[in-house]
Amino acid sequence: MTRSKWLGGLKPVLFTLPAMIPFVLFWLAPLLYVFYLSFTEWDFMSPEKTFVGLDNYIDLLRNPAFYQALRVTVLFCAGSVLPVILIGLGLALLMNRKLKGSMLYQVLLFSPWVTPTVAVSIVWSWIYEPEIGLANTVLGFLGLPPIGWLHDPQWALIGVLLVTIWKSVGWAMIFYLVALRNVPSDLLEAAELDGAGPFQKFMRVTLPLISPTTLFLFIVQIIGALQAYDQINVLTQGGPSGSTRTLLYMYYQSAFESFQIGEASSVAMVLVFICMLLSVLSLNISKRTTHYH
Amino acid sequence: MRSIQRLGNLSRHLFFAVIAVLMAFPFYWMVTSALKTNDEIWRSPPTLWPELPLWSNFAAAWNEAPFARYMGNSIFVATAIVLLQVVNSGMMAYALTHMKFRLKGLFAGVILFGYMVPSTAVYLPGYLVLSELHLLDSYAGLILSNCVSVFSIFLIRQAFLQVPHELVEAGEADGASHMRILWTLIMPITRSSFAVLALITFIDQYNNYFWPMLITKDPGLQLVSAGLRSFFVEGGAYGLKWPLIMAASAFTIAPLLLVFLLAQKTIMRSVNMTAGSNKG
């Protein structure tokens, strides 16, 4: 191989290095490392990591806290993703037909998504203030008893969910507005000629055509919900009595509060596994059932 | 018929006005609460607008904690990350779309794999890696550990796929290097994607909390979210100085709302592109 040919083959690799080096260093290596750590017992301090095989995973399966966190995670995902998608779609459908000045509504509804979660969660913790907070004041006006939004295990998850939904519902709406604009109007007219009513048109034409957007929002939102940390940290810190402790929060606490690196790593691997499963699933579904045009 | 339509539009306006007011109300509540005295804020029922707006609360909150420093840190770190991501995403995407090499499939696969891994799951080992590299508690650590984003690479790759390869060949025929072709021929025509990358990355990094908080202990290195959170919890502020806390939240949020208002078209267009970059 001549020198110039060899250099020609090297150049593309050089172009990838500025991205690949940090990627390997801060993503790939840590991922392999946490996989290894999940088979060890370690407390951060001692120089030795003891290899314990599958013990961490077995302990996890016997740990009631793990099942509680799993349950909270499922509730958190369902409770944030479904409302965001349904409300986002509903708002987009209402806005889709020409409406003068709808840009202003779009900007207002979208704005929470841009703001720092920590700052808006602090604002919400003031709204949730038990005695004179806005939320309980409004309930009082309506003649309803006050709610322990962040202190009552029955309500804390709902309190955190409301903030989460508030933050991303406008974002989902914009996605659906774009998707609805791309539904060809001749298809809708053809359906109308075939005698389809508004509901049938929506179910048979619109909904299938926007299914790639639905799938995309679904996956992105679930992966986001699995990783939600900021609002939980500000509002409840996983409490009261674990009612808002998700798998991610459990991972954080066992790693950085109780220094059980082995346990934390096995929880991390469960999270990685769930995300990869979802991603592979979504790739398969989008190949098979979504409609492109 | 027309009057029915007009009635429909009117009710839709009414509906969206109510929704928009509800959605924006937390921001309004934040500002009015920031203007109240400690006495007035505990009054029941609460007043919708303070009797005597206390604008000095903003200055008081600003001086109570080093917010200028926090915000400076956030802006500096976010800007540095944006610049690095523009360079490395551009180069990576160029290699993936307009260059041929043997490891291309492998690299593309590895990046796709990164797309599936939740970044928060690798925070613990990431922390250990940073500590091995002596990058904890440093600007270098804050910047370098976030300097590559799979999302950014996908976004730019998607834009570069639309660029005809003939353009690259023409550039090569003129004797231009790949660097020149990338930054003077291709980047100008895909600049809207770069603008989206820059804005979304800046917002994400300015708002970033969890990871920067883990890897910095030095209060002088805190980003604005972490700084605001410690002002909220420590400093005797927890629940005692709500007006000051609301004032601090307001000036943390304000720059972002401003950026959003100035660049709303680009930011909302990002929706088009993110949806696209996922399909590709």
Side-chain angles (χ1 to χ4, degrees), chain A residues 12 15-16 23 26-27 30 44 94 97-98 100 105 109-110 114 116 126 132 166 178 216 227 229 233 251, chain B residues 12-13 23 33 41 91 101 107 110 114 117 119-121 124-125 128 130 207 209-210 242 256 260 272 278:
Chain A
F15 264 64
T16 64
F23 182 80
F26 301 117
W27 275 80
F44 244 142
L94 271 173
R97 274 173 301 141
K98 277 217 162 57
K100 259 189 198 155
Y105 302 136
L109 291 177
F110 191 84
V114 192
W126 166 231
I132 54 123
W166 170 77
V178 171
F216 170 78
Q227 304 191 71
Y229 173 81
N233 181 247
Y251 165 53
Chain B
R12 281 201 295 156
H13 268 298
M23 290 290 286
S33 303
I41 206 165
M91 289 175 76
F101 59 106
F107 281 18
V110 166
V117 175
S119 53
T120 44
L124 164 64
L128 298 170
L130 243 61
N207 291 349
Y209 170 62
F210 191 10
W242 280 113
L256 284 165
F260 174 57
N272 256 327
N278 191 54

Side-chain angles (χ1 to χ4, degrees), chain A residues 50-120:
Chain A
T50 329
F51 189 81
V52 294
L54 287 170
D55 280 8
N56 288 321
Y57 292 95
I58 294 167
D59 287 348
L60 206 59
L61 292 175
R62 289 193 183 132
N63 185 354
F66 171 70
Y67 290 101
Q68 193 196 15
L70 197 62
R71 189 176 149 270
V72 171
T73 306
V74 170
L75 286 175
F76 187 84
C77 286
S80 63
V81 175
L82 296 179
V84 164
I85 286 185
L86 288 175
I87 300 173
L89 176 60
L91 291 172
L93 282 170
L94 271 173
M95 203 178 271
N96 188 35
R97 274 173 301 141
K98 277 217 162 57
L99 190 67
K100 259 189 198 155
S102 72
M103 199 58 203
L104 178 68
Y105 302 136
Q106 288 179 34
V107 168
L108 281 170
L109 291 177
F110 191 84
S111 57
W113 188 74
V114 192
T115 56
T117 310
V118 170
V120 295

